[in-house]
Amino acid sequence: MKNYIELLKKYNQEHILKYVDMVDEKKKNDLINQIEKINFEELNKLYEISNRDNTKAIKGIIIEHIPFVDKYKLEKERKETLTKIGEDIIKNNKYAVVTMAGGQGTRLGHDGPKGTFKLDVLPKPKYLFEILAENLLRENKKYGVVIPWYIMTSTENNEKTVSFFEEHNYFGYPKEDIKFFKQGNLPLLSEDGKLLIDENYNIKIASDGNGSIYKSMKNEGILSDMKKRGIEWIFIGAVDNAILNMCDPILLGLTIDEKNEVASKSVVKANPHEKVGVFCKKDSRPAVIEYTELPDQLAEETDEEGELLYGESHIMCNLYSLKALEKIAEQNLPYHSAHKKANYLDENGKLVKSEVPNGYKYEAFIFDGFNYFDNMTILRGRREEDFAPIKNKEGVDSPETAIKLYNEYWKLD
Ligand code: UTP
């Protein structure tokens, strides 16, 4: 029992003791349990990366252009060959889809898991989860299969997500072919490196980034479930893209044809300084470089045809062989820090709601998984056919822009 006091003192977190004294016996034990599970050494290391100057993150690393294939420049015959390779995989029940839905969606500010956000599309408004379910049901019908659908949630939103699906009768998707699994989490830290307490007197935690997916899939038995089902290829996509194409046989066929284990769909940047991560090679290996890391000169560099050399945006449309996922699950992906708004209880037990970023969240990024391979396939798609993100309340990448793209895609305006 005394252990937690020593721990808190050793790591300069004694302020938490005050909260331990504020709660009843049951809650106290609960809180102590949470404290004792924290890896304080790891947390100290994470705090060191907070506020790091991102422009220095690529110092000493060789950044190079990475080749890609433009889907719309493929010749008819090549397209047909690749489509056939991809369709055979899907038709033979070797294909599964994973949706990453463990994010907090702080920018959108919707109350509840992001997938439960209703988008006012035509002919009738639909939840983001509903749109994904409909898309997959359409593919099932087309290929005469049921594609296993795995949904990653977080500690924070798992219960709400699962009951939302139950309430909506899984949007008609066969229940036995949907599996939810939880991703990992990490404590949030204040700007001066202190643990925070949430309104329920728990250590304030947050999901630890979508890169958490690899280890979570292993630890939660998802990779073994896939293996048991004979799955060989897995698509992993975001919950917040209203026109996400989860079954592109050309992407699948091209990856197999290029003998790669990892692939991604890209769309060309709207302009050289669009705030998106782009594909490149870092020290000869496939990677995504964040816009905060990309020097202006590289951002603007073009080839002889005037195409941006670093213009392929990562749109969270990723494909892996099962073997590739098993391999990445064994690695420790790096963490990045994000400066975010965090509500917390002050030392008088009063809730403090911050209007400005006041804490650090630590996240692993899914694209850091690409770095463990010599090559990957990149297929350039088209924004209007592949990418309608819902990130912000209004303006760029908001429900308004996504509704327009959705309606145009389905020709419903
Ligand atoms: P974003 O990076 O856009 O984050 O997620 P977000 O949490 O949805 O939104 P903000 O930044 O708080 O406003 C891209 C995709 O990765 C998933 C999200 O659910 C979304 O599908 N994600 C993100 C996770 O599954 N887990 C995480 O820890 C973070």
Side-chain angles (χ1 to χ4, degrees), residues 223 226-227 231-234 320-326:
L223 295 182
M226 289 173 171
K227 199 168 201 162
I231 302 296
E232 289 176 10
W233 289 93
I234 299 101
Y320 306 79
S321 70
L322 181 60
K323 277 202 193 106
L325 289 179
E326 286 170 343

Side-chain angles (χ1 to χ4, degrees), residues 99-109 114 152-154 157 183-184 206-213 237-241 316 340 361-366 390-392:
T99 298
M100 299 184 290
Q104 290 185 304
T106 41
R107 285 168 289 170
L108 181 64
K114 213 175 193 179
M152 181 168 83
T153 64
S154 66
N157 74 18
Q183 70 166 101
S207 42
D208 58 351
N210 51 30
S212 175
I213 195 164
V239 71
D240 54 5
N241 175 358
M316 310 239 173
K340 293 223 173 186
K361 180 177 188 256
Y362 301 97
E363 297 182 315
F365 293 158
I366 187 159
I390 299 122
K391 299 287 178 194
N392 306 308

Side-chain angles (χ1 to χ4, degrees), residues 158-333:
N158 181 67
E159 238 170 78
K160 283 188 186 153
T161 305
V162 175
S163 44
F164 184 78
F165 269 85
E166 273 167 15
E167 277 159 30
H168 292 88
N169 207 11
Y170 297 84
F171 299 105
Y173 214 86
K175 190 180 162 187
E176 60 285 7
D177 292 298
I178 298 188
K179 263 202 164 62
F180 299 92
F181 67 101
K182 276 194 247 176
Q183 70 166 101
N185 56 57
L186 277 171
L188 273 157
L189 292 180
S190 69
E191 285 176 339
D192 50 0
K194 301 290 183 200
L195 290 167
L196 297 170
I197 295 290
D198 73 14
E199 49 241 88
N200 300 315
Y201 286 88
N202 293 313
I203 298 288
K204 186 151 182 103
I205 53 162
S207 42
D208 58 351
N210 51 30
S212 175
I213 195 164
Y214 303 112
K215 278 209 191 303
S216 307
M217 286 178 85
K218 179 182 163 218
N219 298 340
E220 301 291 306
I222 300 300
L223 295 182
S224 53
D225 187 72
M226 289 173 171
K227 199 168 201 162
K228 211 170 62 205
R229 285 173 179 252
I231 302 296
E232 289 176 10
W233 289 93
I234 299 101
F235 176 89
I236 303 184
V239 71
D240 54 5
N241 175 358
I243 56 170
L244 179 67
N245 180 353
M246 294 172 279
C247 300
D248 185 342
I250 297 187
L251 178 67
L252 194 46
L254 182 67
T255 313
I256 294 169
D257 190 69
E258 289 188 342
K259 301 200 168 34
N260 280 328
E261 301 219 47
V262 179
S264 198
K265 185 79 93 53
S266 69
V267 298
V268 73
K269 264 185 181 181
N271 63 68
H273 298 285
E274 192 188 357
K275 293 181 172 175
V276 288
V278 289
F279 286 97
C280 67
K281 283 199 166 182
K282 282 186 181 171
D283 286 342
S284 308
R285 285 175 169 252
V288 169
I289 182 163
E290 289 186 84
Y291 69 91
T292 47
E293 297 173 350
L294 189 67
D296 282 352
Q297 181 221 337
L298 292 189
E300 289 160 14
E301 204 173 335
T302 52
D303 65 11
E304 55 282 356
E305 278 155 33
E307 289 248 33
L308 290 173
L309 275 179
Y310 302 94
E312 301 310 305
S313 324
H314 174 246
I315 56 167
M316 310 239 173
C317 243
N318 300 327
L319 178 75
Y320 306 79
S321 70
L322 181 60
K323 277 202 193 106
L325 289 179
E326 286 170 343
K327 176 174 167 175
I328 312 173
E330 298 304 323
Q331 319 295 326
N332 292 319
L333 263 58

